[in-house]
Amino acid sequence: MKNILARAEKLGCKIPRIKSEEIDKKLAPVLRLIEDVGIKVDVKSLKRLSEKLKVKSEKLRKEIQKNAGEEFNVASPTQLAKILFTKMKLPTGELKRTKSGFSTGASELEKLRGGNPIIGKILEYRELSKLVSTYLEPLPKIVDENFRLHTHFGTDTRTGRLTSANPNLQNIPIKGDFGPEIRRAFIAEKNCKLISADYSQIELRVVACLSGDKAMVEAFSSGVDIHSRTASELFRVPIEKITNDQRRLAKTVNFGVIYGISPYGLSQTLGIARESAAEYIFRYFAVHGGIKKYCEEQITQAKKLGYVETLFGFQRKLPEINSADRIKSESAQRMAINTPVQGTAAEILKLALIRLADQMQVLNQKSKIKSQNGGVKIILTVHDEVIVEAPVKDAESVAKIMKETMENVVKLSVPTEVEVGIGDNWDETKKV
DNA sequence: ACAATGGTCC
DNA sequence: ACTCGGACCATTGTA
C-alpha cells in the first residue's frame, strides 16, 4: 500500500518536503505573534447590542412563562421538557431522547414549530441568550487597554487543526440576524483596514486531490460551483436548472462526504428518510468512484496499520477501528476518512501562515509601511481563513500578496482558490 | 468539581 | 437500534 503523499504526487501534486512536526515548530512563533497583536473590538457597540438583546430575551422569557402558565427556568432543559411534554402534552412522536427524557435541542424543537407558538419563542430566546452570555457579555470584559482581544492558540487536536481559547475567536457568530452585527464589532485600527483571505472549499479540494476522483478534479478544474455540480449529478438535471433547495441538499451531501457519510447521519441533518439519504449516497458514489475508493482505502489502511495520515505525515491512531462494537468501529471508520482531509487542509493553512508571516516581515522592513500604524500584521486565523490588519494605503497590495501566497503554498491536482476581502470590520471583508 | 445538555464556528 | 468530522464555552443539576 502506497502512502498518501506518494499517491498525491503521482496525481501531479507538488508538495513541499516538510513534515507536520516541522510545520508546527515554525508556526509556533507566528502564532505567538498573532496572539500578542490581538484584534481590536468596538466595545461600545458590543455593550449596546448586549443591552438590546437582553431586553428582547427578557420579554420572550416572560411570554414563554405566560404561555406555559407557570414561572420556570427556561434555560433548564429538564424544566423545559416537563413544561412542554408533561404539562402541555406536546407530541413527542419522532423526538430524540436524552438520558433523562425527551430532548429539547433546537433540531427537535424545530419539528414542533407550528404546533404551538411557544416553540418559536423558546428558540428565539435560546438564540439571544446564547449570544449575550457567550459573546456579548464576556468579550468586553477581557479586552486590553487598546480594546484588543488576545486569544490563545493550541495545536493539540486529533486532526492537526488549531484551537482557540480564552477567548475562542474561532466561533464568533456569523449567521442569523445578529451574527453580522457582532462581526461588525471586530474592527481595524485607525487608518487601517482588515483584510480577510479564505480558502474556497479547501477540504473538498483536498478530497479531490487525495482521491484523484476524476469527476471532482474535473469539476474544480473547470471552476463550476461545486455544490450545483453535485446537485446536477444527484438529481440528473442540467446544472442551470438546479433549484436553491437542490443545491442546499447537495451541499449537505458534499459535507457528508468530508465527514465520512452515513445514511443515518445524512438523514438526520437533512431531516429526510434514511432510505432517501441512502439513495443520494448511492448516486453520489456512482458518479464519484474515486472518492468511494479513497474511503475504502483509508479504512483498509487504518485496520492494517492502526493509523491514518495527512499529506505532511501527521498520524492519527485509530485502535477502535477493529472494535467489535459497531458504533465504535464505524465511528473510527469515519475518522479514517475525515482526518486526512481535515488535517491536510489544516497543514495547508499553517504553511500559508508561515509564509505570510515571512512576507509581512519583509514588507514591514521596507520602511515605507513600517512606521505607519505599526505596519502589516496577521491578527487572526480561523481554520481556512487568515485576517490581516494593514494601513489603508497598503490594503490593496497586501490583499493581492495574500491571495497569491496562499494559492501557491502547495500545488494540488486542483486549483486552491483564495477569496480576499477588504473592510473596516470583519463583516465588511466578506461582502462583495 | 463534574457530567449532561445545548449551541456557536469551520 | 441509531453517529454524519473537528473544536470551545455557558448553564443547569448532581455529587
Side-chain angles (χ1 to χ4, degrees):
Chain A
M1 185 184 305
K2 254 183 166 166
N3 92 10
I4 205 162
L5 174 60
R7 277 206 319 253
E9 298 208 311
K10 202 170 156 196
L11 293 168
C13 304
K14 288 268 190 301
I15 309 301
R17 279 280 166 292
I18 182 167
K19 287 272 147 230
S20 66
E21 300 89 58
E22 188 71 15
I23 294 177
D24 282 354
K25 202 184 291 178
K26 290 192 177 181
L27 185 64
V30 176
L31 292 179
R32 182 92 42 117
L33 200 59
I34 299 173
E35 292 173 358
D36 288 346
V37 172
I39 184 166
K40 183 163 176 168
V41 161
D42 179 356
V43 170
K44 280 185 189 156
S45 76
L46 284 184
K47 286 182 173 168
R48 202 182 316 127
L49 183 57
S50 183
E51 292 311 310
K52 176 174 150 191
L53 297 196
K54 268 193 277 189
V55 170
K56 278 181 88 118
S57 77
E58 275 306 284
K59 275 190 184 147
L60 282 163
R61 184 180 60 76
K62 291 206 174 91
E63 286 182 40
I64 291 163
Q65 291 171 336
K66 196 171 189 176
N67 288 12
E70 187 177 331
E71 285 201 12
F72 69 104
N73 187 347
V74 184
S76 160
T78 45
Q79 293 184 39
L80 183 61
K82 200 182 287 176
I83 294 286
L84 294 180
F85 307 124
T86 306
K87 182 168 183 183
M88 301 179 69
K89 306 230 185 303
L90 263 45
T92 54
E94 305 282 304
L95 292 193
K96 243 193 271 178
R97 287 163 184 280
T98 64
K99 299 199 168 169
S100 43
F102 290 104
S103 165
T104 67
S107 61
E108 304 310 303
L109 293 188
E110 211 55 69
K111 299 169 186 166
L112 301 175
R113 247 197 221 277
N116 191 308
I118 198 174
I119 299 297
K121 291 175 191 169
I122 293 166
L123 289 168
E124 197 183 346
Y125 170 83
R126 284 241 182 96
E127 181 188 352
L128 301 183
S129 51
K130 174 75 178 179
L131 297 179
V132 170
S133 71
T134 306
Y135 307 100
L136 299 176
E137 293 271 12
L139 293 182
K141 292 181 182 165
I142 54 175
V143 295
D144 69 11
E145 64 277 15
N146 300 312
F147 304 102
R148 300 182 81 96
L149 286 171
H150 304 272
T151 188
H152 301 272
F153 290 109
T155 52
D156 52 339
T157 60
R158 317 292 221 288
T159 60
R161 264 195 182 181
L162 298 177
T163 62
S164 160
N166 307 305
N168 181 359
L169 294 183
Q170 293 187 326
N171 71 346
I172 300 301
I174 188 170
K175 299 176 195 161
D177 292 340
F178 304 104
E181 198 167 342
I182 292 174
R183 289 202 172 201
R184 278 199 287 279
F186 288 74
I187 57 179
E189 191 53 80
K190 199 166 172 15
N191 299 319
C192 287
K193 291 278 185 185
L194 295 187
I195 307 157
S196 153
D198 65 286
Y199 283 105
S200 158
Q201 307 296 345
I202 186 65
E203 290 190 338
L204 279 178
R205 289 172 199 269
V206 168
V207 169
C209 180
L210 296 185
S211 69
D213 181 77
K214 276 187 132 172
M216 196 165 218
V217 170
E218 199 277 320
F220 276 123
S221 303
S222 75
V224 300
D225 177 274
I226 192 67
H227 301 313
S228 299
R229 163 69 75 99
T230 302
S232 151
E233 293 160 358
L234 294 179
F235 297 102
R236 298 166 183 161
V237 163
I239 200 160
E240 324 82 54
K241 304 194 97 173
I242 294 301
T243 65
N244 287 345
D245 280 349
Q246 288 173 323
R247 185 180 180 278
R248 191 159 29 241
L249 185 142
K251 185 175 177 180
T252 306
V253 172
N254 277 331
F255 274 105
V257 168
I258 294 168
Y259 298 154
I261 202 162
S262 77
Y264 176 73
L266 186 62
S267 74
Q268 284 300 299
T269 38
L270 284 175
I272 61 174
R274 214 168 37 255
E275 293 74 19
S276 320
E279 173 67 15
Y280 289 127
I281 294 171
F282 181 82
R283 289 190 188 191
Y284 186 90
F285 282 137
V287 179
H288 298 285
I291 294 179
K292 185 158 186 260
K293 186 159 176 247
Y294 161 81
C295 296
E296 290 162 357
E297 282 177 352
Q298 290 308 306
I299 292 167
T300 305
Q301 167 173 339
K303 281 181 180 165
K304 198 160 93 182
L305 303 180
Y307 66 86
V308 292
E309 63 186 351
T310 63
L311 255 194
F312 296 89
F314 178 88
Q315 294 186 356
R316 179 178 187 177
K317 292 189 169 58
L318 294 169
E320 306 222 293
I321 197 137
N322 293 312
S323 167
D325 184 338
R326 225 189 68 203
I327 303 283
K328 286 182 181 163
S329 71
E330 288 183 359
S331 172
Q333 289 180 17
R334 289 192 296 277
M335 294 172 190
I337 293 164
N338 174 265
T339 298
V341 177
Q342 191 182 121
T344 299
E347 289 164 340
I348 292 170
L349 182 103
K350 288 175 175 178
L351 283 171
L353 282 173
I354 293 167
R355 293 215 46 197
L356 284 170
D358 274 347
Q359 306 221 6
M360 310 261 136
Q361 204 181 3
V362 173
L363 279 181
N364 288 336
Q365 277 165 2
K366 293 185 186 170
S367 56
K368 294 176 184 174
I369 291 181
K370 190 180 175 181
S371 54
Q372 283 208 338
N373 309 302
V376 187
K377 295 161 291 207
I378 306 175
I379 59 171
L380 190 60
T381 175
V382 189
H383 305 308
D384 61 0
E385 174 182 14
V386 181
I387 302 174
V388 161
E389 189 177 54
V392 174
K393 62 176 176 47
D394 303 304
E396 287 288 348
S397 71
V398 170
K400 283 203 181 87
I401 291 170
M402 289 174 73
K403 180 173 163 71
E404 191 67 22
T405 302
M406 290 171 69
E407 286 183 345
N408 293 299
V409 63
V410 293
K411 270 266 182 287
L412 301 184
S413 53
V414 296
T416 46
E417 289 178 15
V418 168
E419 294 175 354
V420 294
I422 303 174
D424 291 325
N425 60 65
W426 196 0
D427 178 57
E428 227 178 271
T429 65
K430 306 283 186 186
K431 315 264 190 222
V432 181

